Amino acid sequence: MKKNECDLAKYLKRNRYNYLLLLPCVIYFIVFKYVPMYGVIIAFKDFSFRKGIMGSDWIGFEHFRYMFGLDDFFQVFKNSLTLSGLKILFGFPAPIILALFLNEIRHPGFKRSLQTLIYLPHFISWVVLGGILLNFLSPSWGIINAFIKNLGGDPIFFMAEERFFRPIVVISSIWKEAGWGTIIYLAAITGISPELYEAAYVDGANRIKQTWHITLPGIKTTVIILFILQIGKMMSNGFEQIFVLQNSMNLSVSEVFETYVYRIGLLGGRFSFATAVGLFTSAIGMIMLIATNQLAKAMGEEGLY
């Protein structure tokens, strides 16, 4: 036992700077992720500021029964799943494709400049990007509608028509995050042995065949892990983007759980009910994460655990 303790002490001493670098991340998750879990019990109580969390009356699953009885709840559920599904269908492959194209660029200066350009939107808030989108799509002075007018068409109020909301959300998500998502895939590509490409070139394989038979299999594990994580966030569409683009005319397709909780919980003052909705979405996300991970392992792939 003493030998194991001695080995552990040596290991910790040898890696003390690595753990020191890890410390801020651990503190962040403890303070902002685990400590707030204490408030989850509000979902099972009739919360009152005067009585506090522990002093409020316990009502069990009453909020959940009320939630499933609401007509608009299932519309919000459908909107959340539809938007998340579209983002995964079109948004998830985007950084992979972009990384493959960037990997084929041989001029270092041009490659770095292009990477910086496509990373940039990630650092711009949705408030700013939303304002840019609204100006681009404006029926009065927007660039897109100006082009439509020049072709002899009538201006379109994109943000007032429900059929345009989901494509706008998906395209703007790709615009903002696809470039940033390429970082992980490019790092995975650099881990592939150059000897494999050299051998394929000697065998007469062109760049397309090298990409299909070497690059894609080489980053398959990374793709699967990120896909599992993305499925785990299926019930989360991001509050900022939806809230900025949402208005009363597209509310029937734009109301998702994040904006629903904000409207019911914060604006309506129904904190217990809002917590119940949030707990429900978290539970669904966890179930989907575990199911997808188990499916990946059943197919012979590496999962998260």
Side-chain angles (χ1 to χ4, degrees):
M1 192 68 176
K2 291 182 178 180
K3 182 179 183 301
N4 292 336
E5 292 177 355
C6 184
D7 292 340
L8 178 61
K10 290 180 179 179
Y11 173 81
L12 293 175
K13 183 178 180 181
R14 185 170 62 251
N15 295 280
R16 61 186 182 276
Y17 294 115
N18 293 333
Y19 283 105
L20 189 63
L21 288 173
L22 187 64
L23 187 61
C25 183
V26 174
I27 294 174
Y28 167 81
F29 276 96
I30 292 175
V31 173
F32 294 103
K33 301 297 181 181
Y34 288 97
V35 173
M37 286 184 182
Y38 162 73
V40 168
I41 61 175
I42 295 176
F44 305 96
K45 292 196 169 203
D46 184 15
F47 176 69
S48 169
F49 275 113
R50 182 176 58 83
K51 296 180 181 179
I53 294 179
M54 299 307 297
S56 298
D57 299 329
W58 183 272
I59 60 173
F61 291 93
E62 187 61 35
H63 290 303
F64 294 92
R65 285 191 288 268
Y66 175 75
M67 176 179 67
F68 290 120
L70 293 175
D71 293 333
D72 59 348
F73 172 79
F74 292 99
Q75 181 62 41
V76 173
F77 188 78
K78 176 184 175 183
N79 291 341
S80 298
L81 281 181
T82 302
L83 271 177
S84 295
L86 289 173
K87 284 184 177 181
I88 291 176
L89 180 62
F90 296 102
F92 183 77
I96 302 174
I97 297 171
L98 196 56
L100 294 176
F101 278 113
L102 287 172
N103 186 57
E104 296 301 317
I105 298 176
R106 294 292 173 256
H107 192 284
F110 178 70
K111 184 176 182 179
R112 286 195 297 269
S113 300
L114 187 58
Q115 284 179 302
T116 302
L117 188 64
I118 63 177
Y119 292 168
L120 188 60
H122 172 79
F123 299 99
I124 304 175
S125 72
W126 274 115
V127 176
V128 176
L129 285 180
I132 294 173
L133 279 173
L134 293 176
N135 278 283
F136 278 173
L137 301 174
S138 171
S140 303
W141 58 79
I143 296 175
I144 296 178
N145 272 303
F147 181 72
I148 293 174
K149 291 176 184 177
N150 289 334
L151 294 177
D154 296 324
I156 302 172
F157 197 172
F158 289 98
M159 301 312 300
E161 296 192 28
E162 297 176 355
R163 60 194 176 102
F164 290 118
F165 181 79
R166 286 167 181 162
I168 290 171
V169 168
V170 173
I171 293 171
S172 60
S173 295
I174 295 173
W175 173 34
K176 188 177 190 298
E177 300 296 345
W180 182 255
T182 60
I183 294 176
I184 297 177
Y185 296 113
L186 285 172
I189 290 173
T190 58
I192 301 174
S193 174
E195 295 177 358
L196 295 175
Y197 293 103
E198 293 172 2
Y201 177 76
V202 171
D203 290 339
N206 57 26
R207 299 301 300 179
I208 295 177
K209 289 184 178 180
Q210 291 177 29
T211 299
W212 184 258
H213 294 286
I214 298 177
T215 307
L216 287 176
I219 64 173
K220 182 178 65 172
T221 301
T222 303
V223 172
I224 291 173
I225 290 176
L226 291 179
F227 180 74
I228 294 173
L229 293 174
Q230 189 67 33
I231 291 294
K233 297 188 292 183
M234 190 81 173
M235 301 301 293
S236 176
N237 286 281
F239 173 77
E240 295 87 355
Q241 179 191 17
I242 306 299
F243 186 72
V244 168
L245 300 177
Q246 187 180 77
N247 58 59
S248 59
M249 289 173 282
N250 60 32
L251 195 63
S252 63
V253 295
S254 65
E255 187 80 304
V256 294
F257 279 117
E258 289 87 347
T259 57
Y260 186 69
V261 168
Y262 169 76
R263 183 167 58 86
I264 298 296
L266 295 182
L267 299 185
R270 301 169 62 185
F271 301 102
S272 295
F273 177 68
T275 305
V277 175
L279 182 58
F280 168 76
T281 58
S282 298
I284 294 296
M286 183 185 68
I287 292 171
M288 297 180 72
L289 176 67
I290 294 173
T292 308
N293 185 71
Q294 292 301 114
L295 179 62
K297 295 178 71 174
M299 296 174 65
E301 303 294 342
E302 294 185 18
L304 292 174
Y305 56 88

